[in-house]
Amino acid sequence: MEAKLVKGLSLKALVDVEKNRVVFVESEDDLIDILLSFLTMPIGSIIRLIRDQPPVVGIGCMDNLYESVENLDVQFFRTEACKSMLLQPRNGAAAQCASLKLTIDDSEPLQYFCCESEKCTISQHKLLSHYRNAICGCGRLMSRKFDLTENKQLLLDARNRGVFVKGLARMIVSDELKIMPPGTATSFSLLSNLGLTDGSTIEERVFKIGVDQDPDFERFLKSDDHKAMLISPKVAPGFKLGNQPLGVEEYKHQQHFYYSYHIGYSYAAKLTCQETLLPSSESDSFRRTLLSVMDPKLHYMDNATSSGGFVIESTMFKVTDNLIITPISPMSGLTVLSKLKVPFSDIEERVVHVGKEEASRLLVASFVTKSALTNAFIQKYPKQE
Ligand SMILES: [Zn+2]
């Protein structure tokens, strides 16, 4: 894992020397923002970032799921972009996380491509792609790369410095990552809870700590939008599935303007999300076009009502109990049975319905067990006599 260390973080830690453990750390907004940003990370990024870290720890069956995607040939995906979307998913709060002092997620920054035909970009399909060589509605490649023209405001006011929490907020972080406002009583209660002081001399307090529960905490967050990014994060634009039973929401794309202009004999074409950078009206020497961002999961020949999944339709896959996914071949079922040493007489076919409840159970089982399908379905569908 490569971490971008811009500047070291200063932490004041209280350590229980006898038991060799941290009681709590007192820190400014930087560390708090880094911890809170963990809540915005897509699962695929978490798996990718931790899989090579010693000691190697898996997260239930999620590693198998990730590895299955790595091993699947790109021909099984709807578009080339689908495979990279799964292996290197975008964080819906990537713009905010880019301001963190310590960046753990080393995902590539967002890229911008337009159709190789400028005429198509300006007056025909008017498309933008975040993936190189997607195919435009006209059948040409989206191959012209642009940098986004931005007017980055200098945030000189220290109160605007924080990413999720307001700047200059000092917080206490306990060993089990509970975040709370500082205060002598807080510190004493932590000590007391850990049995480090005489309980009779310390006032006991009950903490309800969590971003969504503690209004003491809430006032340290920058806005309700920032709070929503942490407690109900959405997936990045373009990542939502049409038939996804868990009801995960998707962030909306920003507006993207393609603008071109003549200055003397020279001609330039640029891309921006900031309408304020554009002149208020068009002229002979200046044109602007509002672009639509392509759904990276859709093939250009698909119609707009297609559900746009990640894998191509009409292909059957086999999913093992520990979530290894492979395309079906006539021999694949037999191979699994022989590996598991299960006699054919003990095998029966069952049909399960996957609704929201089952999908939620499957998600939980994928995180906490090595037998996701068994845990998600067999308990609810016990063997019938
Ligand atoms: Zn085109």
Side-chain angles (χ1 to χ4, degrees):
M1 189 189 313
E2 275 188 33
K4 183 184 79 180
L5 186 62
V6 176
K7 189 178 144 189
L9 299 179
S10 165
L11 306 175
K12 195 161 76 179
L14 192 70
V15 178
D16 175 0
V17 183
E18 192 184 318
K19 293 180 180 161
N20 195 28
R21 64 179 174 180
V22 173
V23 181
F24 62 78
V25 161
E26 197 178 323
S27 170
E28 287 187 357
D29 48 325
D30 301 324
L31 174 74
I32 311 301
D33 276 330
I34 291 166
L35 289 173
L36 294 180
S37 76
F38 292 172
L39 300 176
T40 69
M41 281 185 174
I43 295 165
S45 297
I46 295 170
I47 302 297
R48 180 172 59 81
L49 292 166
I50 67 169
R51 63 201 307 226
D52 298 326
Q53 290 299 302
V56 177
V57 283
I59 301 183
C61 299
M62 286 296 184
D63 322 56
N64 292 337
L65 208 51
Y66 190 92
E67 209 172 305
S68 299
V69 174
E70 279 185 310
N71 293 336
L72 267 180
D73 192 280
V74 75
Q75 64 162 318
F76 290 107
F77 294 91
R78 222 176 161 95
T79 64
E80 274 188 36
C82 286
K83 187 167 177 174
S84 22
M85 288 173 79
L86 296 168
L87 295 178
Q88 302 205 318
R90 281 186 51 220
N91 186 336
Q96 283 72 27
C97 293
S99 305
L100 293 170
K101 269 206 172 167
L102 191 67
T103 308
I104 295 169
D105 187 354
D106 57 1
S107 300
E108 293 275 312
L110 204 55
Q111 296 188 310
Y112 304 87
F113 299 94
C114 288
C115 179
E116 62 187 17
S117 157
E118 183 174 39
K119 188 179 170 198
C120 177
T121 305
I122 291 175
S123 56
Q124 290 177 327
H125 287 89
K126 304 177 184 178
L127 290 177
L128 177 72
S129 169
H130 290 307
Y131 296 87
R132 184 189 288 279
N133 290 346
I135 300 175
C136 178
C138 70
R140 297 186 183 92
L141 288 178
M142 302 287 284
S143 56
R144 281 192 302 145
K145 188 173 188 292
F146 286 85
D147 291 325
L148 204 61
T149 305
E150 288 177 291
N151 182 12
K152 286 186 180 166
Q153 292 174 328
L154 288 174
L155 298 175
L156 297 175
D157 187 340
R159 283 169 299 182
N160 282 331
R161 201 187 58 172
V163 177
F164 296 105
V165 293
K166 290 173 184 167
L168 302 181
R170 285 190 78 78
M171 298 278 181
I172 281 179
V173 185
S174 73
D175 199 17
E176 67 270 37
L177 296 190
K178 288 180 176 176
I179 300 173
M180 60 203 92
T184 313
T186 311
S187 319
F188 281 155
S189 288
L190 267 175
L191 292 169
S192 172
N193 289 341
L194 291 166
L196 294 174
T197 56
D198 180 346
S200 65
T201 59
I202 301 299
E203 183 187 304
E204 284 278 343
R205 275 182 62 184
V206 178
F207 289 101
K208 285 185 182 175
I209 289 146
V211 175
D212 62 337
Q213 291 176 330
D214 185 353
D216 285 348
F217 189 83
E218 211 171 302
R219 69 196 156 95
F220 291 96
L221 293 175
K222 289 183 85 171
S223 71
D224 285 346
D225 286 345
H226 289 83
K227 179 183 168 189
M229 276 179 209
L230 300 172
I231 61 169
S232 50
K234 299 175 183 176
V235 291
F239 280 71
K240 185 180 173 182
L241 283 187
N243 296 324
Q244 195 254 81
L246 291 171
V248 175
E249 291 297 315
E250 174 184 83
Y251 285 112
K252 285 193 169 57
H253 284 290
Q254 285 183 289
Q255 285 191 319
H256 293 86
F257 296 94
Y258 183 92
Y259 64 107
S260 53
Y261 52 87
H262 292 276
I263 299 177
Y265 292 108
S266 66
Y267 173 79
K270 295 187 175 179
L271 188 72
T272 187
C273 288
Q274 293 174 320
E275 202 170 358
T276 51
L277 289 179
L278 306 171
S280 54
S281 62
E282 295 199 7
S283 66
D284 287 346
S285 60
F286 177 85
R287 290 194 69 170
R288 73 169 175 179
T289 307
L290 181 62
L291 301 180
S292 305
V293 182
M294 294 173 71
D295 182 339
K297 301 186 298 303
L298 286 184
H299 189 269
Y300 83 106
M301 298 290 276
D302 287 335
N303 62 46
T305 55
S306 168
S307 61
F310 291 101
V311 290
I312 49 171
E313 287 163 352
S314 73
T315 305
M316 294 291 285
F317 294 91
K318 181 190 71 196
V319 185
T320 59
D321 196 15
N322 58 352
L323 298 191
I324 294 172
I325 302 174
T326 43
I328 278 192
S329 69
M331 296 302 290
S332 57
L334 295 174
T335 314
V336 171
L337 294 182
S338 75
K339 267 190 190 165
L340 293 173
K341 298 189 169 54
V342 181
F344 290 161
S345 56
D346 287 353
I347 301 293
E348 67 176 25
E349 193 173 284
R350 294 196 197 172
V351 175
V352 290
H353 167 77
V354 183
K356 185 173 181 180
E357 188 191 332
E358 290 80 9
S360 304
R361 205 163 44 225
L362 184 56
L363 179 66
V364 173
S366 308
F367 273 109
V368 298
T369 77
K370 295 285 184 194
S371 307
L373 299 183
T374 301
N375 280 277
F377 298 117
I378 294 292
Q379 274 88 4
K380 189 171 180 200
Y381 301 97
K383 191 175 179 181
Q384 293 172 350
E385 295 299 324

